[in-house]
């Protein structure tokens, strides 16, 4: 990139240069845009991308049906044949691509939601979206079998749950406190409906339904990948526009209003965007728990900085779900468990760690 100094001589400017503020670098985008980024955040993002690439390679190559690592580059270039073509195009390729986008969507949704609620334990799961999607999937399986796909029922259930939460709060999505209380009530009713359906339907259908409502990535297709990647790519620019208002909003409503930010509008936009991302994830993978809760908190601890950490939450959400799905495919002790059970186990362990850490602080 070329710039001109006072003498008029054009010189090359680096894409990343040291900032005057300690611990920051300037990432230049064009000749007039320089974005200050914490060095720790930049390092963490690069490491997350490398780990995600490693987990993706392991997903495609591990196990009896895995692609030989020596054949992987040519297979990715479109030269796969026989077993390699089946694994890449049907068995694991779509599953991996769906896992990356689904985890990224959930991580970003959690970061948006936690920022506006100012609650480290907040996530779209708390306001009943996952439970509503499970109830919708269960209702489709019981009342409209072979008519409405379970994934469509899950999406309708998630939208219906959010509509019920919106109406019951009396203030839409603007009041985080009412939002959480209404969401807990909707989640309880949705869970009751789901459990009734699982009890009422035939045993084989109940087993398949239970796998879906716990979150599953098995038998994903390129159509599923297209859906979730479209949702993610459409939402990313809006999330970027909300980054600055959310950062200012975490300073408090009075200060953010004085700086020209409308807290109510920012909160509503962030919650709506979080719901859209979560609903997209639910439509292709079912209600996968704890990714949206844990990814933003891990992002804050890895970068050791405040703010919503939207980029790191997105990357870590993708990494966590790919690792969980890798465990679901390769661990020898369990056969084909839904990936949502692994994320539940990881999320429960992480919550236990947080509680233990807080307890030690108070002792």
């Amino acid at each position: 990139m070329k710039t001109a100094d006072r003498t008029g001589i054009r010189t090359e400017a680096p894409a990343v240069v040291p900032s005057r503020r300690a611990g920051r670098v300037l990432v230049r985008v064009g000749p007039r845009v320089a974005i200050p980024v914490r060095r720790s955040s930049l390092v963490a993002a690069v490491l997350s991308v490398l780990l995600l690439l490693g987990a993706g390679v392991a997903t495609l190559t591990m196990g009896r049906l895995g692609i030989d690592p020596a054949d992987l580059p040519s297979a990715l270039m479109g030269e796969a044949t026989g077993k390699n073509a089946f694994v890449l195009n049907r068995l694991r390729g779509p599953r991996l691509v769906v896992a990356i986008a689904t985890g990224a969507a959930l991580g970003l949704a959690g970061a948006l939601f936690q920022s506006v609620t100012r609650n480290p334990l907040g996530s779209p799961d708390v306001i009943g979206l996952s439970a509503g999607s499970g109830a919708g999937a269960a209702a489709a399986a019981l009342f409209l079998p072979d008519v409405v796909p379970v994934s469509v029922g899950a999406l309708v259930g998630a939208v219906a749950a959010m509509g019920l939460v919106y109406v019951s709060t009396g203030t839409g999505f603007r009041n985080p406190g009412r939002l959480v209380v209404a969401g807990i009530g909707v989640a309880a009713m949705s869970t009751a409906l789901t459990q009734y359906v699982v009890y009422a339907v035939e045993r084989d259908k109940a087993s398949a339904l239970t796998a879906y409502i716990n979150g599953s990535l098995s038998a994903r297709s390129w159509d599923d990948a297209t859906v979730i990647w479209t949702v993610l790519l459409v939402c990313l620019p809006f999330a970027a526009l909300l980054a600055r208002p959310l950062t200012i909003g975490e300073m408090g409503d009075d200060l953010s209003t004085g700086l020209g930010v409308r807290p109510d509008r920012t909160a509503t936009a962030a919650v709506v965007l979080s719901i859209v991302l979560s609903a997209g994830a639910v439509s292709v993978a079912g209600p996968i728990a704890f990714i949206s809760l844990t990814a933003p908190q891990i992002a804050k601890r890895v970068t050791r900085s405040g703010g919503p950490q939207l980029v790191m939450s997105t990357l870590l959400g993708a990494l966590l779900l790919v690792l969980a799905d890798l465990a679901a495919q390769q661990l020898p002790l369990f056969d084909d468990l839904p990936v949502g059970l692994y994320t539940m186990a990881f999320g429960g362990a992480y919550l236990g760690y947080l509680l233990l850490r807080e307890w030690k602080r108070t002792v």
Side-chain angles (χ1 to χ4, degrees):
M1 178 173 53
K2 294 184 178 181
T3 58
D5 58 18
R6 294 180 180 178
T7 63
I9 300 175
R10 299 182 68 82
T11 58
E12 293 289 337
V16 180
V17 297
S19 171
R20 293 181 179 179
R21 298 181 62 180
R24 290 180 179 267
V25 294
L26 291 179
V27 178
R28 295 192 178 277
V29 183
R32 297 184 179 181
V33 179
I35 304 173
V37 179
R38 287 182 178 272
R39 194 182 303 275
S40 59
S41 299
L42 185 61
V43 172
V46 172
L47 289 177
S48 298
V49 171
L50 294 176
L51 289 173
L52 183 59
L53 289 174
V57 170
T59 298
L60 296 175
T61 58
M62 288 183 65
R64 181 173 56 87
L65 294 176
I67 300 173
D68 190 282
D71 297 333
L72 185 60
S74 61
L76 294 176
M77 295 298 292
E79 301 176 6
T81 58
K83 186 199 78 171
N84 289 350
F86 173 75
V87 171
L88 185 62
N89 298 323
R90 298 287 299 276
L91 185 62
R92 296 187 184 177
R95 182 169 181 161
L96 173 62
V97 174
V98 170
I100 292 172
T102 300
L106 292 174
L108 179 56
L112 291 167
F113 194 84
Q114 289 182 16
S115 180
V116 296
T117 59
R118 299 168 193 169
N119 184 350
L121 298 180
S123 75
D125 303 338
V126 173
I127 60 174
L129 188 144
S130 295
S133 69
L142 178 62
F143 302 114
L144 297 170
D146 303 323
V147 176
V148 176
V150 172
S151 60
V152 175
L155 182 59
V156 172
V159 173
M162 292 304 94
L164 186 57
V165 169
Y166 183 90
V167 172
S168 60
T169 60
T171 58
F173 297 135
R174 294 191 297 272
N175 190 308
R178 292 186 181 183
L179 187 66
V180 171
V181 173
I184 291 174
V186 171
M189 293 186 293
S190 300
T191 301
L193 174 61
T194 302
Q195 295 302 321
Y196 166 74
V197 172
V198 171
Y199 176 79
V201 299
E202 299 175 4
R203 180 175 298 178
D204 56 342
K205 292 183 178 179
S207 299
L209 180 60
T210 301
Y212 183 84
I213 62 178
N214 283 316
S216 175
L217 290 170
S218 61
R220 298 304 95 182
S221 67
W222 291 116
D223 290 338
D224 297 318
T226 300
V227 169
I228 186 58
W229 274 100
T230 299
V231 172
L232 180 61
L233 293 177
V234 168
C235 291
L236 282 177
F238 295 100
L241 292 175
L242 285 174
R244 181 177 179 275
L246 287 174
T247 302
I248 296 175
E250 292 190 354
M251 302 177 185
D253 290 347
D254 294 337
L255 182 57
S256 60
T257 301
L259 293 174
V261 174
R262 293 287 299 273
D264 53 346
R265 291 185 179 180
T266 300
T268 300
V271 171
V272 169
L273 192 60
S274 177
I275 290 172
V276 171
L277 288 163
S278 298
V282 161
S283 68
V284 299
I288 296 177
F290 281 112
I291 295 294
S292 58
L293 177 66
T294 56
Q297 292 304 305
I298 295 175
K300 288 180 180 294
R301 283 162 175 77
V302 168
T303 60
R304 298 181 180 180
S305 60
Q309 296 296 322
L310 300 183
V311 174
M312 277 303 304
S313 298
T314 302
L315 292 174
L316 287 174
L319 177 61
L320 290 175
L321 188 54
V322 170
L323 290 175
D325 190 49
L326 181 62
Q329 294 181 64
Q330 301 299 333
L331 284 183
L333 298 179
F334 308 101
D335 184 22
D336 201 25
L337 284 180
V339 68
L341 296 181
Y342 288 89
T343 61
M344 287 182 192
F346 174 79
Y350 184 71
L351 286 178
Y353 161 74
L354 290 180
L355 290 174
L356 181 61
R357 183 176 178 179
E358 292 298 321
W359 176 76
K360 288 183 176 180
R361 285 182 177 179
T362 58
V363 173

